[in-house]
Amino acid sequence: MIILGIETSCDETAAAVLTNNDNRITILSNVVASSASLQSKYGGIIPEQAAREQIKSIIPVIEEVLSQAFFKKRLPRPAIGGARNDGVGVDAVAVTYGPGLIGSLLVGVETAKTLARIWNKPLIPVNHLLGHFYANWITGYTPDVYAQVSPKSHIGSENEVPKFPCIGLLVSGGHTDLVLFTDHGKYEYLGGTRDDAAGECFDKCARLLGLPYPGGPEISRLASQGDALQVELPRPMIDSNDFDFSFSGLKTAVANLLHTSEVSPGSSEVKCNLAASIEQAIVDVLVKKCVQAVKQYQVKQLMIAGGVASNQKLVRNLQFTIYNLQLKTKLHVPPPELCTDNA
Ligand code: KG4
Ligand code: ZN
């Protein structure tokens, strides 16, 4: 099947043309337009503005993604306007229906509904969070269709996809969830954040440090030059003996440190040390809970997904801990550009 995927849950306008092959997904083309640099000026996302940007980008993004996919297949691309509204070549339209920013979601959903209607093709509603997990089923390059993404993670072979049962950690800007998957469509929620998501904590701490949005990659960049041991920060709920998380206290601890103290973020060394400590605190909690879930459910497969899954410290620490504890667990990580929002 050839599926046109559309995702507009936040500040990315994304479309992709995908095909399935056995238990794997292959990308024929993948286009993401982001209004993050615009949102960055305001220190975060203004939902109304993100939705307006979605409207500007949605049709050009879909036209581009269809052109790229069908050019590679040396076929005329499906028309989405004018006299020819045929949709020939596309078997179904899939779209993120939520969770996400309602104004942004509406743009993608209404566009997908319209295309499915005029092309007379099925419309597949996709849960945003499951969509993130399924980035782990996308495999890399095939000789004839050249996807413009990195090969699948360096962990495991490129064509390896998760097997069931599998523990999934979703770490995005809005969610931090641990899930046990026993099959496609069969999953159990084990726990999640009680307040801020991991990505949100990165973003808010970055803002306290005067760094631009999105904060995760910024903190990570500074952290690579800092020493986490120089600044002590709490690891909320790390020993809670359940699969819940809490990150708002970490953010408050960073705010208190900056407001009260000796730690002035003026100096770049201090900033880097603080960034390293924030990143380490978040990673420590995520790693601990993943390992706990893998052990408790005696699962040999672990996948991570969502924007924070592109954090290399998280990936390395998970790998290291799995190896150190001899858990014999396979870790699946999508390529970084498929961790953040995409179609
Ligand atoms: O999954 P995503 O693109 O959007 C949501 O569905 O929320 O995740 C965005 C989040 C942001 O909070 C961003 O700061 C974080 O992912 N993020 C990172 C990194 N890249 C993106 N956090 C830590 N390290 C990164 N390298
Ligand atoms: Zn997302």
Side-chain angles (χ1 to χ4, degrees):
M1 288 189 93
I2 302 250
I3 298 181
L4 170 65
I6 296 173
E7 141 50 66
T8 64
S9 63
C10 192
D11 56 343
E12 270 92 21
T13 311
V17 178
L18 307 147
T19 179
N20 66 318
N21 171 8
D22 200 7
N23 189 25
R24 294 172 170 75
I25 305 165
T26 304
I27 299 176
L28 299 184
S29 59
N30 179 35
V31 174
V32 182
S34 176
S35 66
S37 57
L38 180 66
Q39 312 295 334
S40 182
K41 284 188 202 155
Y42 307 97
I45 295 172
I46 301 174
E48 168 72 17
Q49 192 185 41
R52 286 174 190 279
E53 293 304 308
Q54 294 285 2
I55 294 173
K56 287 188 207 159
S57 305
I58 188 78
I59 297 298
V61 163
I62 292 174
E63 291 198 314
E64 176 65 20
V65 88
L66 289 173
S67 296
Q68 285 185 19
F70 286 83
F71 176 73
K72 282 173 207 154
K73 287 170 71 66
R74 296 187 171 75
L75 290 171
R77 83 162 168 76
I80 63 170
R84 242 184 85 226
N85 277 323
D86 53 17
V88 169
V90 171
D91 297 307
V93 182
V95 62
T96 306
Y97 68 81
L101 302 176
I102 191 66
S104 289
L105 284 165
L106 264 173
V107 176
V109 169
E110 290 306 313
T111 306
K113 280 163 77 175
T114 307
L115 288 175
R117 177 86 177 170
I118 62 173
W119 290 348
N120 197 22
K121 304 289 177 195
L123 178 70
I124 306 168
V126 180
N127 176 287
H128 179 176
L129 312 182
L130 285 175
H132 272 301
F133 280 122
Y134 271 86
N136 283 292
W137 272 266
I138 294 173
T139 52
Y141 304 95
T142 57
D144 54 341
V145 281
Y146 188 74
Q148 292 176 337
V149 294
S150 315
K152 193 162 179 276
S153 98
H154 39 283
I155 301 121
S157 90
E158 197 186 307
N159 286 320
E160 218 164 325
V161 296
K163 294 187 187 77
F164 300 111
C166 179
I167 294 287
L169 172 74
L170 173 72
V171 268
S172 69
H175 293 82
T176 303
D177 295 318
L178 259 174
V179 181
L180 171 66
F181 287 81
T182 48
D183 203 345
H184 292 296
K186 287 199 183 138
Y187 44 87
E188 184 189 334
Y189 175 83
L190 304 179
T193 186
R194 296 192 184 175
D195 39 59
D196 291 0
E200 186 179 355
C201 184
F202 270 114
D203 294 337
K204 288 181 175 167
C205 288
R207 192 168 177 177
L208 290 169
L209 284 172
L211 300 169
Y213 173 86
E218 293 291 325
I219 295 230
S220 191
R221 189 174 54 80
L222 292 191
S224 65
Q225 300 153 45
D227 176 4
L229 295 176
Q230 298 304 316
V231 188
E232 204 181 316
L233 286 172
R235 279 133 177 84
M237 292 190 74
I238 195 163
D239 293 318
S240 66
N241 227 1
D242 55 22
F243 298 114
D244 282 350
F245 303 82
S246 164
F247 291 105
S248 72
L250 174 57
K251 170 191 69 188
T252 307
V254 172
N256 286 344
L257 209 61
L258 291 171
H259 289 155
T260 52
S261 75
E262 28 340 319
V263 181
S264 135
S267 116
S268 86
E269 189 189 335
V270 171
K271 231 178 183 166
C272 291
N273 290 343
L274 191 49
S277 184
I278 293 165
E279 182 176 58
Q280 192 65 59
I282 295 174
V283 165
D284 283 352
V285 178
L286 297 175
V287 170
K288 171 90 191 284
K289 300 272 168 159
C290 280
V291 166
Q292 197 177 316
V294 161
K295 282 183 172 169
Q296 185 166 323
Y297 290 90
Q298 299 181 357
V299 164
K300 294 286 174 218
Q301 300 271 317
L302 171 65
M303 63 172 158
I304 61 173
V308 180
S310 63
N311 183 284
Q312 292 308 301
K313 176 131 216 143
L314 172 63
V315 175
R316 280 199 308 272
N317 282 27
L318 273 172
Q319 266 180 304
F320 180 74
T321 310
I322 287 169
Y323 176 79
N324 241 6
L325 298 176
Q326 299 187 336
L327 292 175
K328 298 197 174 64
T329 300
K330 177 122 259 160
L331 176 63
H332 299 269
V333 186
E337 62 269 48
L338 298 182
C339 289
T340 45
D341 287 340
N342 67 85

